[in-house]
Structure formats: C-alpha cells, structure tokens
Amino acid sequence: MNDFASFEKIIVRELSCRLCLCTDVAKLKPLTTEMKRKIKKLFSIVIRTDDSLPKAICHECLQQVGALHLYTVKVEKTQKFLSFHNMKSNQNKLNQNLPESKLHPIIATLSEHKTDIKSNNEKEKLSPKSSSPSTPSRFQQGDAKLSQNQPKKKSPSDMKFLEAMPLEEFSITESVDRVLLNSKSSVKEQQTLSKDKDKNRSENNNFTNDVLDPIVLIDGRPAKQGADLDKQITLFYKMECCICHELGFHFRSLMKHYKDRHGVPGYLTCCDKKFHYFYPKKIIEHMAYHLQPNIFMCPSCHQNFQTSQQLIEHQSNGGRSEGKIACPRCSELYPTYQELGWHIITHRSDKFQCDYCGKLLKHHHRKKTINHMEDVVLCSQCVRTLKNIEKQEKEIKEKVKNKSNDAITLQKYQKFRQAMGLSADDNDSTD
C-alpha cells in the first residue's frame, strides 16, 4: 500500500507550510526561531536553513502548534508538582518512623528541657503542702506570670513536624537566632561578605576625597588607564545599584555586585541611558561629552555630537552643507537619518500625528527607534518605507566593505610576491 499516494501531485516548494504543505500564500508566515524551537520540542523536527524544504507555516498549523505547546507546558508543570508532592509525602513517612535520637540537636535539647519541666511539676504536686503560712510556696506568688513565661507543651507529632521544617522557618517559629543555626562555613561567608563591604566603603571614601580630573580623552584615546580610569569613572557616575538601590560601591565592585547578586551584566546610568560594562568606549565617551565640551563638534557646521561614531558618520556623508536626506515636512537637508530624527521631533504638534509624514493617527502609537531615528512616532506606511531604506543602506555598506577587504588582500598578495622576489608576470607553477 502506497502511503504517499495523496502527496504525488503536490510539488514541494520552500514557499509552503512545513507541517501540512499548504501552498496558499495569503495564509503562510515565515518560521521564526521560537516557532522552530516549539516544532522541535513537539514533533522532533529539526528545520535547517541549508536544505530546500519548506521554511514557512500556515495560520491553522500556527494555532495548533501554539495550543499544543501550551498544553505540554501545563502537563510538565503538573508532573513536576506531583513528583514534588510524592517526594514530600515519602519524606514525611520516613520522619514518622525515625526515633527521637535522630532528631535535630536543637530540637532534641528542647524536648529534654520540656521533659525535665514536666517531671518537676509532677514532684511538686505529689509533695505535701507546708502547714506554716509564713513560708509561701514557689508558685503561690506570681502564678500568672510564670504560666505566661512557660513554653507551651508540644505533642510528639509537633516535634516531628519541627524536625522536617527548614532552618529558616524553624528560626522564625521558635524565635531562635539564625546565626546559631548556621554552620561554620556560612558564618565564614557572612564574615567575608561583611569584610568585602567594609573594603568597598573604605575605597569609596578614599575616592570621594579625590578631585575629578576633567580631561578624559586626548587625541581620541583615554587620558588615564587601569585603576586611575576606574577612579575617574567612579567619581563621575552615580555608584548606585538600580535594582536594590544599594550605595557605597566603586566601579569594579558595582559591576561585580550586578553579576553576583542579581545575575545581570553590570551597567551605569546617566541622562536616562544605560551604558553597559561590555562597551567601555561608550562609558568613557559619554563622560568626555560632559566634562570636555565641544570634543565631538563638527568643524564645518559647529554641531556637537555625543559620540565619535556620530561625528564620523556626519563627516563621511559630507556634513550639513552636503546633506542629501531631505525632511519630508520642510526643505532642510541632513547628512544622516539620526540628525533627521532630531529635527523631525521639532515638527511634532500633536500626540496623534506621524512625525515623518504628518498624517493624523486614529489612536496613540508607541515611540520607536527605526533607522537610527530615536523616540519617533510613526504610522505603519512610514515604518515600512524607513525599514526598506535601512535595509538598502546595510546592503550598500556590506558591498563597500567587501570591496575594501578585497583591495587589502590584493595589496597583501602583491607585497608577499615582492618579498619573495617574484614579478607580476611570473607563473605560480612549482615546476
């Protein structure tokens, strides 16, 4: 029996659904990385880019995969909960069968103390009362106070429950100091942490006594290196954790705090922007923008920029005098789309208006960053046109880069031939 009889007339194309081979272009969508991951998890289908198989999915299959993925996540969660419940019930059974000698040492001492109190009370009840009224018993005066101060009696089941309880919960319920319950290693860790904090505070106090040097960059390079540069950054930026708002850091210790305490890469904040630890050039250049005014100024049009990259792009495109990008709402020309974005915002008169074409919008749109134009409100038509322009610019830059790389390799090859004493007309044969 032929299992593929129904698929004989279907032509396998890349523009068809990978799961049902639907060829309706209106229903098809390209497969995203998240959808590929879901398909691999559900059906163990690995979708590669180097094969000639379909790379799309139809709307119906998309809904089915989404529903199946949600169902599998729900089933996995329930199974994890059931396994945890089973483990907890087995642990409770083992704790019930354990003798009192294997209890936690603190709980065992508490139980012994309570048994001693019980035995003392029973002895006092059995002993005859003294006939002389002048010698009152130990419990005649202040019986209410003693009864209040005495701990409550606990059953064996309560003691077993305390044994199975974590140390944190036990310290809260029994009002015991957590430090007494911790092991020696954890106490040492706390001591080391306190020592590190003291070191950070002392270093920060040393930095606060110093004066900030206003010279950051000399000929495009940092004026200071190593510890001196870290001190300069510490004195300029606010050394505060943006997550837990803890103070008393220097630059290196703050970056370490972000990584160890919160599990995120470290960053600094200034002018409502984040400057990550991975890009030290941006941290230094932003500091120079504030401390050294006009350091990134164009000599022809005298426009000030925040980074050296913006200034290089401005000058490579001819500057303001040779700008080729026209504003769609006025007749001014700009060399880059980033400068055009700064100018377009000045035309904004209403929230429900596109900044690029001036068309009125039906509802409020979120601010976007497209083609280096930051915090711009755009309609769907302008978003498409700007994305296409950005794509074309990237392709042109890649072509120019490839040509320059080819020219560099050719120069290297010619130098190599000259070093080997070969002329350009010689053959490369090994005869």
Side-chain angles (χ1 to χ4, degrees):
M1 184 178 178
N2 191 2
D3 294 333
F4 305 107
S6 59
F7 295 106
E8 283 181 357
K9 295 180 181 179
I10 296 172
I11 300 166
V12 178
R13 300 171 183 166
E14 288 194 12
L15 198 63
S16 59
C17 180
R18 182 62 181 263
L19 301 178
C20 67
L21 291 176
C22 174
T23 55
D24 192 357
V25 181
K27 293 181 180 180
L28 293 175
K29 287 185 178 181
L31 280 166
T32 58
T33 52
E34 188 180 357
M35 188 53 60
K36 287 177 184 178
R37 183 176 57 80
K38 288 178 182 178
I39 290 167
K40 186 180 178 182
K41 186 178 179 182
L42 293 169
F43 309 109
S44 66
I45 298 170
V46 181
I47 298 166
R48 295 187 176 86
T49 54
D50 55 352
D51 57 9
S52 59
L53 296 174
K55 304 289 189 307
I57 188 168
C58 66
H59 184 66
E60 293 175 359
C61 292
L62 189 69
Q63 287 181 339
Q64 294 289 336
V65 169
L68 275 171
H69 185 260
L70 289 172
Y71 183 68
T72 50
V73 169
K74 187 178 178 182
V75 170
E76 284 174 0
K77 280 185 180 178
T78 52
Q79 294 306 313
K80 282 181 183 177
F81 172 73
L82 289 171
S83 62
F84 173 74
H85 179 72
N86 189 20
M87 184 179 70
K88 199 172 181 182
S89 60
N90 291 333
Q91 192 176 2
N92 290 331
K93 285 178 183 178
L94 288 169
N95 291 331
Q96 288 176 3
N97 296 326
L98 281 171
E100 289 186 358
S101 61
K102 292 185 179 180
L103 291 170
H104 198 276
I106 294 169
I107 299 169
T109 52
L110 286 170
S111 61
E112 287 175 3
H113 181 64
K114 287 173 183 176
T115 52
D116 292 336
I117 291 166
K118 283 181 185 178
S119 62
N120 290 328
N121 289 333
E122 287 175 358
K123 285 177 183 178
E124 286 172 358
K125 285 178 183 178
L126 292 169
S127 63
K129 293 180 182 179
S130 60
S131 58
S132 62
S134 61
T135 57
S137 64
R138 189 158 59 98
F139 294 101
Q140 280 180 358
Q141 293 178 355
D143 283 336
K145 291 180 182 178
L146 285 168
S147 62
Q148 286 175 3
N149 293 329
Q150 282 178 1
K152 293 180 181 179
K153 295 179 181 179
K154 289 181 181 175
S155 62
S157 61
D158 291 336
M159 299 299 293
K160 286 172 184 176
F161 178 73
L162 285 170
E163 181 195 359
M165 193 184 290
L167 291 176
E168 290 181 359
E169 292 181 12
F170 178 77
S171 63
I172 294 163
T173 53
E174 293 295 319
S175 66
V176 181
D177 193 0
R178 177 70 198 276
V179 179
L180 297 172
L181 300 176
N182 285 338
S183 60
K184 292 181 181 178
S185 61
S186 60
V187 173
K188 285 180 182 178
E189 286 175 3
Q190 288 178 358
Q191 289 175 356
T192 52
L193 285 169
S194 62
K195 284 179 183 177
D196 291 337
K197 283 183 180 179
D198 293 336
K199 282 181 183 178
N200 293 336
R201 283 170 187 167
S202 63
E203 287 177 1
N204 195 19
N205 291 328
N206 294 331
F207 287 162
T208 51
N209 296 328
D210 296 332
V211 181
L212 178 62
D213 189 1
I215 298 167
V216 182
L217 293 173
I218 298 171
D219 297 330
R221 292 187 177 182
K224 295 183 179 181
Q225 298 290 336
D228 294 331
L229 182 61
D230 293 344
K231 191 186 287 185
Q232 198 174 20
I233 292 165
T234 305
L235 291 169
F236 176 76
Y237 289 97
K238 189 179 180 182
M239 292 292 123
E240 181 186 0
C241 178
C242 296
I243 300 169
C244 63
H245 302 287
E246 191 175 344
L247 294 167
F249 296 102
H250 58 89
F251 176 58
R252 296 285 174 187
S253 64
L254 181 60
M255 299 301 106
K256 190 180 178 184
H257 170 80
Y258 273 114
K259 186 180 178 182
D260 297 342
R261 182 78 179 273
H262 304 293
V264 295
Y267 58 89
L268 299 170
T269 54
C270 185
C271 302
D272 297 328
K273 291 181 180 179
K274 288 182 181 180
F275 301 98
H276 283 273
Y277 173 69
F278 301 120
Y279 305 104
K281 187 181 177 183
K282 291 183 180 180
I283 294 170
I284 296 162
E285 284 188 350
H286 187 76
M287 188 166 56
Y289 171 72
H290 285 287
L291 295 175
Q292 292 176 274
N294 306 328
I295 192 167
F296 301 121
M297 182 184 280
C298 178
S300 59
C301 64
H302 302 289
Q303 187 175 354
N304 201 4
F305 295 94
Q306 292 188 2
T307 61
S308 60
Q309 185 65 32
Q310 292 175 1
L311 178 62
I312 289 161
E313 286 181 0
H314 173 81
Q315 289 176 341
S316 62
N317 290 318
R320 186 69 185 274
S321 59
E322 298 179 11
K324 296 177 182 177
I325 303 167
C327 175
R329 302 180 70 174
C330 64
S331 58
E332 292 190 23
L333 297 171
Y334 291 92
T336 61
Y337 275 94
Q338 191 169 26
E339 294 175 54
L340 178 65
W342 298 338
H343 166 73
I344 273 174
I345 293 168
T346 59
H347 290 293
R348 189 185 293 166
S349 59
D350 189 8
K351 290 181 180 179
F352 299 93
Q353 189 179 20
C354 177
D355 292 334
Y356 193 75
C357 64
K359 186 176 78 174
L360 290 172
L361 305 169
K362 290 182 180 178
H363 53 86
H364 179 66
H365 284 231
R366 200 158 41 93
K367 290 179 181 178
K368 297 173 184 176
T369 301
I370 295 171
N371 200 6
H372 306 291
M373 296 167 71
E374 297 175 351
D375 298 331
V376 183
V377 179
L378 300 169
C379 62
S380 57
Q381 184 83 26
C382 293
V383 168
R384 274 190 235 108
T385 53
L386 287 169
K387 279 185 177 179
N388 289 329
I389 291 164
E390 188 178 8
K391 192 177 178 182
Q392 289 171 5
E393 284 184 348
K394 281 182 180 178
E395 288 175 356
I396 291 162
K397 282 181 181 178
E398 283 178 0
K399 285 179 182 177
V400 171
K401 192 177 179 181
N402 292 330
K403 283 182 181 178
S404 63
N405 289 333
D406 292 340
I408 290 162
T409 51
L410 204 144
Q411 286 176 3
K412 286 181 180 178
Y413 180 67
Q414 287 174 356
K415 286 179 182 178
F416 174 74
R417 289 180 66 84
Q418 287 174 6
M420 293 295 291
L422 299 170
S423 63
D425 299 328
D426 291 338
N427 293 323
D428 293 332
S429 61
T430 56
D431 297 338

